[in-house]
Amino acid sequence: MATSIDLNADVGESFGPYSIGSDAELMRSITSANVAAGFHGGDPGVIRSTIRMALAHGVAVGAHPGFADLAGFGRREMHLAVQELEDLVLYQIAAVAGVAAAEGGRLHHVKAHGALYNMAARDDRLAGAIVRAMVAVDRSLVLYGPPGSCLLDAARAEGLTFAVEGFVDRSYEPDGRLTPRTVSGAVIHEPLAVVSRALRMVRQREVVAKDGSVLPLDLDTLCIHSDTPGADVLAAAVRAAFEQDGVQLAPMVCRARAGQ
Amino acid sequence: MATSIDLNADVGESFGPYSIGSDAELMRSITSANVAAGFHGGDPGVIRSTIRMALAHGVAVGAHPGFADLAGFGRREMHLAVQELEDLVLYQIAAVAGVAAAEGGRLHHVKAHGALYNMAARDDRLAGAIVRAMVAVDRSLVLYGPPGSCLLDAARAEGLTFAVEGFVDRSYEPDGRLTPRTVSGAVIHEPLAVVSRALRMVRQREVVAKDGSVLPLDLDTLCIHSDTPGADVLAAAVRAAFEQDGVQLAPMVCRARAGQ
Amino acid sequence: MATSIDLNADVGESFGPYSIGSDAELMRSITSANVAAGFHGGDPGVIRSTIRMALAHGVAVGAHPGFADLAGFGRREMHLAVQELEDLVLYQIAAVAGVAAAEGGRLHHVKAHGALYNMAARDDRLAGAIVRAMVAVDRSLVLYGPPGSCLLDAARAEGLTFAVEGFVDRSYEPDGRLTPRTVSGAVIHEPLAVVSRALRMVRQREVVAKDGSVLPLDLDTLCIHSDTPGADVLAAAVRAAFEQDGVQLAPMVCRARAGQ
Amino acid sequence: MATSIDLNADVGESFGPYSIGSDAELMRSITSANVAAGFHGGDPGVIRSTIRMALAHGVAVGAHPGFADLAGFGRREMHLAVQELEDLVLYQIAAVAGVAAAEGGRLHHVKAHGALYNMAARDDRLAGAIVRAMVAVDRSLVLYGPPGSCLLDAARAEGLTFAVEGFVDRSYEPDGRLTPRTVSGAVIHEPLAVVSRALRMVRQREVVAKDGSVLPLDLDTLCIHSDTPGADVLAAAVRAAFEQDGVQLAPMVCRARAGQ
């Protein structure tokens, strides 16, 4: 069986008059799109046209729920009651899923955004809330998240398919965590370095950590940060390298659906 | 065949710490619930618990989309491009439909809120936008709106079932329009008068207009204004009168589904 | 010199169609009003009419800034950068101060709301941000906050007058902190008990803590929670008790202005 | 007396993560800045840093109030009650004025944004609401608006100084109105044409209308549309042309303050 990987990016984060990202270009390279659901970014028109673009490119559509904090772009921690969070995520998944269906598609996955992603990765109550919202909508949805996280545990406990996510342009600590953005060298900007890391992540299933140690990493999906300048060029370079190397590019298949 | 009527009310309009209406009490009397979708009122938690209440009472769940104007409660006219409006309504219907499905129900109808209801009733481009959003989600959704309106025309042009709506506590002009709220006597507060009008609307299919003339009115659904003080008591009185008089209370059935 | 105390309450927290609190009644009893600034509650119309009411009753007008979280009423922790917080608070103080001036008044004090109050009480960077925003607007503004808090330290470091605040309807722990609301008995509902505690707080400058120990407490202002049902009746009872006991009711005077 | 003109631009319209306009560059060329007040655009941090930039460049600071419609950027008509509008504008002016004072400046003028500008130009009740809000804050504020408008009438009726505004990159109809944006040729993109029109507007006090007729136009201020790509270059070109031609660049002086 050929090695396969998914390339995902956060898209649809423009709002009203405000444009962010280069979604149209990214769609040519990625295989799954995390569509902002209207709370940390995105609006009904942006969501619909982004989904339409994704479907036209054969890109899998995911919901990208975040905190209701447009001014902070969902990147500021907010402390919600667990039930509040479940309802917030359910509403956002439901909206994106419904718009995807209206456009002739089907929601494929869910990836939490920003502070919610980070908080739920380390808090099993928040992770549980996200998973319960997904289960209420559709058990065949795939949850994206980091390796070794509460999100992974919560998804598996409920029988949801989980896609382990890596970051091609971020430095890793020896323990497998991302180097915090506040630390120098946390973000890798050099395209050749990014491409080389991406290939090693997929081919050797490992990454060289910040201290030079080699870290095993078994990934299903790689994230391209869409708000990095030149993200579309980087995504194209990574995709080209994979294609040349014979790596198959495809979104992860839900195990439940695969077994149908 | 026994005479049948639907009793609808706008519910789920509370927001965060702010409570409005007496939804729990109303659910005992109405047969269809228009659930605010989170833009003019409602929030993800309120929407979900309101839908849960409606389903527990066997009340048909509808989406109640409005303008994105919480401060004005969706009652202030806003002028959106037609496509903007279609996307706004699609998102709101999708969200409520998805939450209803997550709760084990199925979305039954759509009723536009406040200024959007009034504007779309008289503007065929806005009515068309609402109907297109509905068609994109589910052709079996029923559209609620006033008799003789652009909403009715747009629904029929697309083959959607339309529920002609009357107001039990509002005075009518001889031409069939509602007496504007700014005119004295526009709202009828006296419960006995309301009940008597409701019965005549359903039994004789007519209403006595402001000038005393008798107006034929062929209605499918009657609206109980949920924000009138005592709305729950009024709804109970209307329901009791119908039950005593042998009028069947049931939400309108979509012609397409009925014919399946 | 006669014993003097200030009675404050959070007011102006209604929003658009949503009404909360009984501000008109409270104004008869309190001596200072913390006016929600439009982010966790309040809107431009509510703010203006609340300020007008306060001025008509001779009640000192304060700004009550909170997190931009209407759905959570500013009661959910949000983690902002320190500069973001300073700007957020500055904007809110500026708006309320400007509306107060437009109504012929002058802003008297600032009291942070909800989660912001609690977080800034224990985090000197957040407390510093609030104080810097106040200093930028007007050095004669009084800051309200709990005894022994970072807010007190920050105010004194900048030479701002600080009003030490106590809560008449809350239980205290032996260490001077409020008993958390999640603990049974945290809120004292019995009016006679509240009045009796209020008198002891002001006359004996002490409160009986949860474990029966007597806690010294040197307060400048007492808060009446406006969202407790019957808050207006409670406020009237407390005021009447003070008047009967010869306690003078007046807002705290800024030391800088007093010394002019 | 040397001919003098003011160059104004709308600035501070970025929001949270969303950047719009090239404010830092524009500040080098304009003489007055209309700072978005946080409702149609802008946020507390953006407002403060924009004001700081303006003051550092000696640019007069104005408040730029708009409808509470971030998704529509204040460009969609909203129908508010007159009192609602007055309070909305008062709050926004108060906030910007307060932040300007906190930064050591003083608010100089008010210019309504987008749909509010256009609606108030032709509706005397809305124009009156804006003027009353200004009067409540500071009688020396200058109101910016189009010639022959209700805004001008309302300002003069209250004794406010009014700055008649022209648009250097827009085509005029023979009756003095702007050619609607939907009409081809409504916006003039060619920099030389714009500069030439600007000079003629100021030197000859006239503009060539769309049909070739010459229209007298007695302007106090010229607007550079900040959201046109290359607006900063255009502004620099216009400024350079004026400087070369001996036209003095300065914000309009309030007649009341001038007479002090």
Side-chain angles (χ1 to χ4, degrees):
Chain A
M1 196 183 107
T3 301
S4 175
I5 195 76
D6 174 50
L7 279 185
N8 80 74
D10 302 347
V11 293
E13 292 180 325
S14 295
F15 180 85
Y18 299 108
S19 189
I20 223 169
S22 49
D23 295 358
E25 289 71 26
L26 270 174
M27 290 293 179
R28 296 190 205 121
S29 305
I30 59 176
T31 46
S32 67
N34 320 313
V35 181
F39 282 63
H40 77 274
D43 68 38
V46 168
I47 290 168
R48 192 179 195 182
S49 58
T50 304
I51 287 173
R52 201 174 280 178
M53 267 198 299
L55 294 175
H57 286 82
V59 171
V61 174
H64 194 42
F67 288 126
D69 178 24
L70 188 70
F73 203 51
R75 285 185 176 149
R76 307 190 290 206
E77 288 199 1
M78 288 183 71
H79 292 266
L80 278 64
V82 172
Q83 187 61 51
E84 281 180 329
L85 181 64
E86 183 184 325
D87 295 346
L88 185 82
V89 170
L90 170 58
Y91 180 94
Q92 295 185 50
I93 298 175
V96 176
V99 176
E103 289 296 323
R106 182 174 172 176
L107 194 71
H108 169 266
H109 67 278
V110 170
K111 177 178 163 183
H113 171 81
L116 179 55
Y117 181 94
N118 294 329
M119 291 170 77
R122 57 177 194 259
D123 183 330
D124 56 6
R125 294 169 315 131
L126 304 184
I130 292 172
V131 165
R132 280 194 301 280
M134 292 173 66
V135 165
V137 172
D138 179 356
R139 284 198 159 273
S140 74
L141 293 170
V142 179
L143 179 60
Y144 286 33
S149 67
C150 295
L151 284 163
L152 184 151
D153 294 341
R156 297 218 168 136
E158 282 289 340
L160 291 191
T161 302
F162 187 82
V164 181
E165 183 177 40
F167 295 87
V168 295
D169 57 356
R170 291 293 299 277
S171 160
Y172 281 80
E173 297 294 302
D175 67 356
R177 294 184 177 240
L178 294 176
T179 304
R181 279 178 184 271
T182 46
V183 175
S184 162
V187 180
I188 298 158
H189 296 285
E190 220 282 293
L192 283 183
V194 171
V195 168
S196 148
R197 288 170 76 85
L199 279 171
R200 185 158 181 181
M201 280 177 175
V202 173
R203 279 298 184 200
Q204 273 79 48
R205 307 223 150 255
E206 64 190 27
V207 71
V208 178
K210 196 153 187 266
D211 66 349
S213 63
V214 175
L215 192 71
L217 208 58
D218 203 4
L219 303 173
D220 302 305
T221 184
L222 294 178
C223 180
I224 308 283
H225 280 113
S226 53
D227 53 351
T228 315
D232 52 333
V233 176
L234 205 63
V238 170
R239 183 184 182 109
F242 282 141
E243 285 176 343
Q244 196 164 357
D245 204 59
V247 175
Q248 193 184 328
L249 285 150
M252 191 168 186
V253 179
C254 165
R255 297 206 178 87
R257 275 199 227 175
Q260 281 170 353
Chain B
M1 195 182 108
T3 301
S4 175
I5 194 75
D6 174 50
L7 279 185
N8 80 75
D10 302 348
V11 293
E13 293 180 324
S14 295
F15 180 86
Y18 299 108
S19 189
I20 222 168
S22 48
D23 294 359
E25 289 72 25
L26 270 174
M27 290 294 179
R28 297 190 204 121
S29 304
I30 59 177
T31 46
S32 67
N34 319 312
V35 180
F39 281 64
H40 77 274
D43 67 38
V46 167
I47 290 168
R48 191 178 196 183
S49 59
T50 305
I51 287 173
R52 199 172 282 179
M53 265 199 299
L55 294 174
H57 286 81
V59 171
V61 174
H64 194 42
F67 288 126
D69 178 24
L70 188 70
F73 204 51
R75 285 186 175 147
R76 307 190 291 204
E77 288 200 1
M78 287 184 72
H79 292 266
L80 276 65
V82 172
Q83 187 61 51
E84 282 180 328
L85 181 64
E86 184 185 324
D87 295 346
L88 185 83
V89 170
L90 170 59
Y91 180 94
Q92 295 185 48
I93 298 176
V96 176
V99 177
E103 289 295 324
R106 182 174 171 176
L107 194 70
H108 169 266
H109 67 278
V110 170
K111 178 179 163 182
H113 172 80
L116 178 55
Y117 182 94
N118 295 327
M119 291 171 78
R122 58 178 194 260
D123 183 329
D124 56 5
R125 294 169 316 132
L126 305 184
I130 292 171
V131 164
R132 280 194 300 281
M134 293 174 65
V135 165
V137 173
D138 179 355
R139 284 198 160 275
S140 76
L141 292 171
V142 178
L143 178 60
Y144 286 33
S149 67
C150 295
L151 284 163
L152 184 151
D153 294 342
R156 298 219 168 134
E158 282 290 340
L160 290 191
T161 302
F162 187 83
V164 181
E165 183 178 40
F167 295 87
V168 295
D169 58 356
R170 291 292 298 277
S171 161
Y172 281 80
E173 297 294 300
D175 67 357
R177 294 183 177 239
L178 294 176
T179 303
R181 278 178 185 270
T182 46
V183 175
S184 161
V187 180
I188 298 157
H189 296 286
E190 220 283 294
L192 283 183
V194 171
V195 168
S196 147
R197 286 170 76 86
L199 279 171
R200 186 158 179 182
M201 280 176 174
V202 173
R203 279 299 185 196
Q204 272 79 50
R205 308 225 150 252
E206 64 190 26
V207 70
V208 178
K210 193 151 189 269
D211 68 347
S213 62
V214 175
L215 192 71
L217 208 58
D218 204 4
L219 302 174
D220 301 307
T221 184
L222 295 178
C223 180
I224 307 283
H225 280 113
S226 54
D227 54 351
T228 317
D232 53 332
V233 176
L234 205 63
V238 170
R239 182 181 183 111
F242 281 141
E243 285 176 342
Q244 195 164 359
D245 204 60
V247 176
Q248 194 184 326
L249 285 151
M252 191 167 185
V253 179
C254 166
R255 295 206 180 87
R257 275 200 228 175
Q260 282 168 352
Chain C
M1 196 183 105
T3 302
S4 175
I5 194 76
D6 175 49
L7 278 185
N8 80 75
D10 302 347
V11 294
E13 292 180 325
S14 295
F15 180 85
Y18 299 108
S19 190
I20 223 168
S22 49
D23 295 358
E25 288 73 24
L26 270 174
M27 291 293 180
R28 296 190 205 121
S29 304
I30 59 177
T31 45
S32 68
N34 319 312
V35 181
F39 281 65
H40 77 273
D43 67 38
V46 167
I47 291 168
R48 191 177 196 185
S49 58
T50 304
I51 287 173
R52 199 173 282 178
M53 267 198 300
L55 294 174
H57 286 81
V59 172
V61 174
H64 194 43
F67 288 126
D69 177 24
L70 187 69
F73 203 52
R75 286 187 175 148
R76 305 189 293 204
E77 288 199 1
M78 287 183 72
H79 292 266
L80 276 64
V82 171
Q83 188 61 51
E84 282 180 329
L85 182 64
E86 183 184 325
D87 295 346
L88 185 83
V89 170
L90 170 59
Y91 180 95
Q92 295 185 50
I93 297 175
V96 176
V99 176
E103 290 296 324
R106 181 173 174 179
L107 194 70
H108 169 266
H109 67 278
V110 170
K111 177 178 163 184
H113 171 80
L116 179 56
Y117 182 94
N118 294 327
M119 291 170 77
R122 59 176 193 260
D123 183 330
D124 56 6
R125 294 170 316 132
L126 304 184
I130 292 171
V131 164
R132 280 193 302 279
M134 292 173 65
V135 165
V137 173
D138 179 356
R139 283 196 161 275
S140 75
L141 292 171
V142 178
L143 179 60
Y144 286 34
S149 66
C150 295
L151 285 163
L152 185 151
D153 295 340
R156 298 219 168 135
E158 282 290 341
L160 290 191
T161 302
F162 187 84
V164 181
E165 183 178 39
F167 295 87
V168 294
D169 57 356
R170 291 292 299 277
S171 161
Y172 280 79
E173 297 294 301
D175 67 357
R177 295 186 176 238
L178 294 177
T179 304
R181 279 178 184 271
T182 45
V183 175
S184 162
V187 180
I188 298 158
H189 296 286
E190 221 282 294
L192 283 183
V194 171
V195 169
S196 148
R197 286 169 77 83
L199 279 171
R200 186 158 180 181
M201 281 176 174
V202 174
R203 278 298 185 199
Q204 272 80 47
R205 307 226 151 251
E206 63 190 27
V207 70
V208 179
K210 195 153 188 270
D211 66 348
S213 61
V214 175
L215 192 71
L217 207 58
D218 203 4
L219 303 174
D220 302 304
T221 184
L222 294 178
C223 180
I224 307 284
H225 280 112
S226 55
D227 53 351
T228 316
D232 52 333
V233 175
L234 205 63
V238 170
R239 183 182 182 109
F242 282 141
E243 286 175 342
Q244 196 164 357
D245 203 59
V247 176
Q248 193 184 329
L249 284 150
M252 191 167 186
V253 179
C254 165
R255 298 210 176 83
R257 273 200 230 177
Q260 280 170 354
Chain D
M1 196 182 106
T3 301
S4 174
I5 194 75
D6 174 50
L7 278 185
N8 80 76
D10 302 347
V11 294
E13 293 180 323
S14 295
F15 180 86
Y18 299 108
S19 188
I20 223 169
S22 48
D23 295 358
E25 289 74 25
L26 270 174
M27 290 294 180
R28 297 189 205 121
S29 304
I30 59 177
T31 45
S32 66
N34 319 313
V35 181
F39 281 65
H40 77 273
D43 67 39
V46 167
I47 291 168
R48 191 178 196 184
S49 58
T50 304
I51 287 172
R52 200 173 282 180
M53 267 198 299
L55 295 174
H57 285 82
V59 171
V61 174
H64 195 41
F67 288 125
D69 178 24
L70 187 70
F73 202 53
R75 285 186 175 148
R76 307 189 291 204
E77 289 199 359
M78 288 184 72
H79 292 267
L80 276 65
V82 172
Q83 187 62 50
E84 281 179 330
L85 182 64
E86 184 185 325
D87 295 346
L88 185 82
V89 170
L90 170 59
Y91 180 95
Q92 295 185 49
I93 297 175
V96 176
V99 176
E103 289 296 324
R106 181 173 171 177
L107 194 70
H108 169 265
H109 67 278
V110 171
K111 178 179 163 183
H113 172 80
L116 179 55
Y117 182 94
N118 295 327
M119 290 170 78
R122 59 177 193 261
D123 183 330
D124 56 6
R125 293 169 315 132
L126 305 184
I130 292 171
V131 165
R132 281 193 301 279
M134 293 173 65
V135 166
V137 173
D138 179 356
R139 283 198 160 274
S140 75
L141 293 171
V142 178
L143 179 60
Y144 285 34
S149 67
C150 295
L151 284 163
L152 184 151
D153 294 341
R156 299 219 167 134
E158 282 289 342
L160 291 191
T161 301
F162 187 83
V164 181
E165 183 178 39
F167 295 87
V168 294
D169 58 356
R170 291 292 299 276
S171 162
Y172 281 79
E173 297 295 302
D175 66 356
R177 295 185 175 237
L178 295 176
T179 304
R181 279 178 185 271
T182 47
V183 175
S184 162
V187 180
I188 298 159
H189 297 286
E190 221 283 294
L192 284 183
V194 171
V195 168
S196 147
R197 287 169 76 85
L199 279 171
R200 186 158 180 180
M201 281 176 173
V202 172
R203 278 298 183 199
Q204 273 79 47
R205 308 225 151 252
E206 64 191 24
V207 70
V208 179
K210 194 153 188 266
D211 66 347
S213 62
V214 174
L215 193 70
L217 208 57
D218 204 4
L219 302 173
D220 303 304
T221 184
L222 294 178
C223 180
I224 307 283
H225 280 112
S226 54
D227 54 351
T228 315
D232 53 332
V233 176
L234 205 64
V238 169
R239 184 183 182 109
F242 282 141
E243 285 176 342
Q244 195 163 359
D245 204 60
V247 175
Q248 193 185 327
L249 284 151
M252 191 168 186
V253 179
C254 166
R255 298 210 177 82
R257 275 200 228 175
Q260 280 170 352

